[in-house]
Amino acid sequence: MAKKNQSKRLTNQHKESKGAKGIFGDEAKYHDMDVSDLSVLAKELLEKDYPQLVFRYRKSVSKKEINDSLCQIDPELGQTLFVEDSSIKPDGGIIEVKDDNGNWRIVLVSEAKRQGKDIENIKQGKLVGTKNDQDIMNAGNAIERAHKNISEIANFMLKESYFPYVLFLEGSNFLTKDVVVERPDGRKVVLACNSGAINRIDRLTAANYGMPINKNLCKNKVVQIEDTCVMLHAASLFTQGDGRRWSIKDMIKVMMDVAKTSLQMLGRDLFKQLTKS
């Protein structure tokens, strides 16, 4: 089934069921749903849960907007821009809410990255490598591009006390425990989570300051360094840990949890709207 058809089915089922409950039956098996489709669905669920608030979804934020936001904090910031129309485009796009002053505030940014097909290859009996004589393919570094988007959104939200950036990871390059996979001939191959050849989680934990993964880190942590306090904007990293694909239900659950944490952090700025009868 094409992604567009899957997205349409989910949206229609969501409307018919009047909420999230009705979409998590057989549809949960469609693991290749685009995270942007799920982000749009998360926006619809937020609108249902908070009818007094106004939300919007957009696919990107321009570098000019980011620079303008930095410049408002300090005029020395946000001064360098060569490509006027450059922008940041997270996989899942950006959900925002309008505050009491008419300003749009981010409540969720999401991305999904899949890297490592070792489990599938081993199950199929496929050997890899330059000589096709290896069970495991050494991991690449493509995932490190995720750092750019995280850093740019962190710049955009520098003055905020929360950071709702969620990164979903799946594939054999993001194991948190050893996995044993059996080949068609019966031979068993161990994928070790501490193998530098395949594990790439350590390449991403710079984005959450080495804090725990599979945890909502939306509320910024403030650390004391001598007589100075530093506020950390940490991305929330989520992985199945054993190479499994993410289900729609589990992804939506995480996205809604982070988005609602954002709304709690914005409580004062949304007070008038949230207290309307």
Side-chain angles (χ1 to χ4, degrees), residues 54-109:
V54 178
F55 296 90
R56 75 175 181 183
Y57 169 84
R58 56 174 171 158
K59 295 182 178 180
S60 64
V61 58
S62 70
K63 279 280 290 181
K64 186 178 185 306
E65 285 181 87
I66 295 171
N67 277 10
D68 288 346
S69 178
L70 287 168
C71 190
Q72 290 174 13
I73 298 171
D74 187 299
E76 193 171 351
L77 304 178
Q79 295 300 308
T80 304
L81 179 63
F82 292 98
V83 183
E84 289 288 335
D85 61 351
S86 62
S87 61
I88 306 305
K89 299 178 181 179
D91 297 339
I94 300 160
I95 298 176
E96 295 169 301
V97 66
K98 185 178 287 187
D99 67 17
D100 288 341
N101 296 314
N103 299 313
W104 289 104
R105 313 283 286 277
I106 294 178
V107 296
L108 180 67
V109 184

Side-chain angles (χ1 to χ4, degrees), residues 24-264:
F24 298 140
D26 292 339
E27 296 294 346
K29 68 185 179 182
Y30 296 124
H31 298 304
D32 58 347
M33 280 292 299
D34 193 289
V35 69
S36 62
D37 296 324
L38 298 186
S39 188
V40 171
L41 177 57
K43 171 182 169 288
E44 293 176 2
L45 295 175
L46 288 169
E47 289 170 336
K48 181 177 182 296
D49 289 344
Y50 303 94
Q52 66 274 59
L53 298 178
V54 178
F55 296 90
R56 75 175 181 183
Y57 169 84
R58 56 174 171 158
K59 295 182 178 180
S60 64
V61 58
S62 70
K63 279 280 290 181
K64 186 178 185 306
E65 285 181 87
I66 295 171
N67 277 10
D68 288 346
S69 178
L70 287 168
C71 190
Q72 290 174 13
I73 298 171
D74 187 299
E76 193 171 351
L77 304 178
Q79 295 300 308
T80 304
L81 179 63
F82 292 98
V83 183
E84 289 288 335
D85 61 351
S86 62
S87 61
I88 306 305
K89 299 178 181 179
D91 297 339
I94 300 160
I95 298 176
E96 295 169 301
V97 66
K98 185 178 287 187
D99 67 17
D100 288 341
N101 296 314
N103 299 313
W104 289 104
R105 313 283 286 277
I106 294 178
V107 296
L108 180 67
V109 184
S110 55
E111 288 201 270
K113 301 296 184 184
R114 177 169 177 78
Q115 185 171 302
K117 298 180 64 177
D118 298 295
I119 294 175
E120 296 93 320
N121 289 339
I122 293 169
K123 285 182 176 180
Q124 295 169 10
K126 182 179 178 180
L127 293 174
V128 296
T130 55
K131 298 181 179 179
N132 293 321
D133 59 354
Q134 302 172 200
D135 291 313
I136 300 170
M137 176 68 75
N138 286 350
N141 297 323
I143 192 65
E144 294 181 1
R145 289 196 297 267
H147 281 292
K148 178 179 181 291
N149 285 350
I150 293 171
S151 295
E152 292 285 15
I153 297 297
N155 285 342
F156 191 43
M157 300 187 67
L158 187 61
K159 64 183 178 182
E160 302 286 12
S161 59
Y162 68 101
F163 188 57
Y165 204 110
V166 181
L167 180 58
F168 294 101
L169 307 172
E170 60 180 40
S172 57
N173 291 164
F174 305 115
L175 301 179
T176 59
K177 55 187 174 184
D178 293 352
V179 175
V180 180
V181 187
E182 187 172 341
R183 290 174 50 83
D185 60 9
R187 181 166 62 86
K188 295 182 179 180
V189 179
V190 178
L191 300 179
C193 67
N194 63 353
S195 169
I198 64 172
N199 200 306
R200 286 296 178 265
I201 292 182
D202 287 341
R203 303 283 179 95
L204 286 166
T205 51
N208 76 345
Y209 301 91
M211 288 191 283
I213 58 176
N214 293 331
K215 183 177 180 180
N216 178 356
L217 300 176
C218 180
K219 183 178 180 180
N220 288 352
K221 183 177 180 62
V222 177
V223 297
Q224 182 89 26
I225 304 176
E226 296 182 350
D227 59 348
T228 303
C229 288
V230 178
M231 185 167 61
L232 308 180
H233 288 63
S236 299
L237 310 180
F238 286 84
T239 176
Q240 292 284 32
D242 57 4
R244 285 180 296 132
R245 304 295 301 270
W246 279 95
S247 71
I248 291 170
K249 181 177 181 179
D250 289 341
M251 291 178 75
I252 285 289
K253 182 179 179 181
V254 170
M255 294 165 80
M256 292 297 290
D257 181 46
V258 171
K260 289 185 177 184
T261 301
S262 298
L263 293 175
Q264 291 170 5

